[in-house]
């Protein structure tokens, strides 16, 4: 039985002060909620303060990205050991906005994912097709290619620290969500690929989040699908009430 994992991806939003007030509210209101794991991904500048505020709570602090080298002449970059030092326990890699605007490729996403795991953090590897790719019936092919690159040569033992986020690009920030059936079809496909890659036991442990305009109104139906194990939430994670409603909808059991 997989514990669902809901992560709020704040993207380029919230000052440190705003981040702290949101996270304080989440910490207070989610302390008694069981059967679901929760994380927040603040901006890098707020990450250390957020992690400190979350000490003693079960809410994980996640980074939104991570470079693959640990130290050196890499102006502007942040490494997995530094993120861990600031208090992060998870990092997202391969978000479609990184792929679209910042040149991330399946190869670089794989390098990032391996660096995150090597530093002892958990990794959320995002995959998902554009509208043109879906319309061209290439969804599964694109997901396969991104998944293969993202996983690289990982071993099955990473399963507890590996999360795949399926985020159709056409559903991100558009208000247009994949239907539960559309999402489940791709999630089942990903699970099948994970089974081929890691074996059934590990594949059964790996959580596959759905992302793309998840809201309180659609979360329950999405989370009811067999292979949807939580959500990566953008816009709706910026408001405590909406995010809390999504977390509650994702509870198992
Ligand atoms: P959204 O973003 O919920 O605002 O669509 C999801 C994401 O990009 O992770």
């Amino acid at each position: 039985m997989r514990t669902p994992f809901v992560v709020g991806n704040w993207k380029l939003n919230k000052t440190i002060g705003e981040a702290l007030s949101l996270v304080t509210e989440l910490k207070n209101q989610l302390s008694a909620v069981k059967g679901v794991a929760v994380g927040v991904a603040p901006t890098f500048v707020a990450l250390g303060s957020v992690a400190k505020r979350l000490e003693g709570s079960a809410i994980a602090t996640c980074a939104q990205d991570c470079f693959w080298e640990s130290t050196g002449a890499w102006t502007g970059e942040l490494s997995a050991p530094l993120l861990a030092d600031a208090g992060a326990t998870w990092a997202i890699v391969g978000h479609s906005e990184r792929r679209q605007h910042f040149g991330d490729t399946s190869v670089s996403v794989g390098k990032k994912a391996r660096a995150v795991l090597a530093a002892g953090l958990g990794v959320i590897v995002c995959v998902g097709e554009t509208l043109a790719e879906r319309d061209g019936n290439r969804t599964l092919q694109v997901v396969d290619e991104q998944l293969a690159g993202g996983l690289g040569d990982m071993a099955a033992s990473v399963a507890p620290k590996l999360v795949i986020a399926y985020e159709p690009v056409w559903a991100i920030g558009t208000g247009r969500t994949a239907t539960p059936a559309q999402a489940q079809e791709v999630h089942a496909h990903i699970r099948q690929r994970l089974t081929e890659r890691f074996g059934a036991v590990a594949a059964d442990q790996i959580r596959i989040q759905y992302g793309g305009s998840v809201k309180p109104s659609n979360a329950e139906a999405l989370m009811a699908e067999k292979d949807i194990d939580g959500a990566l939430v953008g816009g709706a994670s910026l408001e405590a009430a909406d995010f809390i409603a999504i977390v509650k909808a994702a509870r198992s059991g």
Side-chain angles (χ1 to χ4, degrees):
M1 193 62 211
R2 297 177 291 271
T3 303
F5 190 22
V6 178
V7 173
N9 174 13
W10 296 353
K11 308 190 181 184
L12 209 177
N13 292 292
K14 300 206 178 283
T15 61
I16 297 174
E18 289 164 352
L20 286 175
S21 59
L22 175 54
V23 98
T24 303
E25 207 173 334
L26 297 179
K27 185 176 172 177
N28 292 338
Q29 295 199 40
L30 290 173
S31 63
V33 177
K34 304 278 177 266
V36 56
V38 180
V40 292
T43 63
F44 287 131
V45 290
L47 195 135
S49 319
V50 163
K52 207 160 188 47
R53 181 65 57 92
L54 286 174
E55 274 171 13
S57 104
I59 302 174
T61 305
C62 313
Q64 297 178 14
D65 190 29
C66 177
F67 186 51
W68 58 81
E69 296 288 346
S70 296
T71 56
W74 304 103
T75 303
E77 288 300 332
L78 284 161
S79 67
L82 283 191
L83 297 172
D85 187 44
T89 51
W90 286 84
I92 300 167
V93 298
H95 189 280
S96 67
E97 286 151 18
R98 303 292 321 169
R99 295 180 193 262
Q100 214 178 326
H101 306 300
F102 303 99
D104 282 20
T105 64
S106 291
V107 172
S108 65
V109 171
K111 287 161 86 169
K112 290 178 173 191
R114 281 195 294 286
V116 170
L117 290 167
L121 285 78
V123 69
I124 300 173
V125 178
C126 303
V127 299
E129 81 288 0
T130 62
L131 188 56
E133 288 162 347
R134 174 160 283 263
D135 288 345
N137 280 324
R138 284 187 287 129
T139 297
L140 300 182
Q141 186 189 326
V142 167
V143 166
D144 280 350
E145 190 265 327
Q146 293 176 342
L147 198 58
L151 299 181
D153 61 358
M154 279 177 203
S157 57
V158 304
K161 288 194 162 182
L162 172 64
V163 169
I164 308 299
Y166 169 58
E167 300 203 295
V169 178
W170 48 271
I172 295 178
T174 58
R176 194 178 152 192
T177 323
T179 64
Q182 277 176 324
Q184 168 58 25
E185 183 196 4
V186 181
H187 280 236
H189 176 82
I190 293 171
R191 182 94 52 211
Q192 175 58 34
R193 287 288 180 254
L194 294 173
T195 304
E196 292 160 13
R197 181 72 175 60
F198 296 124
V201 175
D204 207 44
Q205 271 187 294
I206 298 170
R207 288 167 295 183
I208 309 174
Q209 296 174 322
Y210 169 78
S213 298
V214 176
K215 300 180 277 257
S217 58
N218 59 28
E220 203 160 332
L222 285 161
M223 299 306 135
E225 294 292 337
K226 176 170 165 282
D227 289 294
I228 301 184
D229 313 309
L232 188 54
V233 187
S237 71
L238 299 173
E239 294 292 336
D242 285 352
F243 187 63
I244 289 165
I246 294 167
V247 168
K248 288 182 174 168
R251 279 177 297 189
S252 61

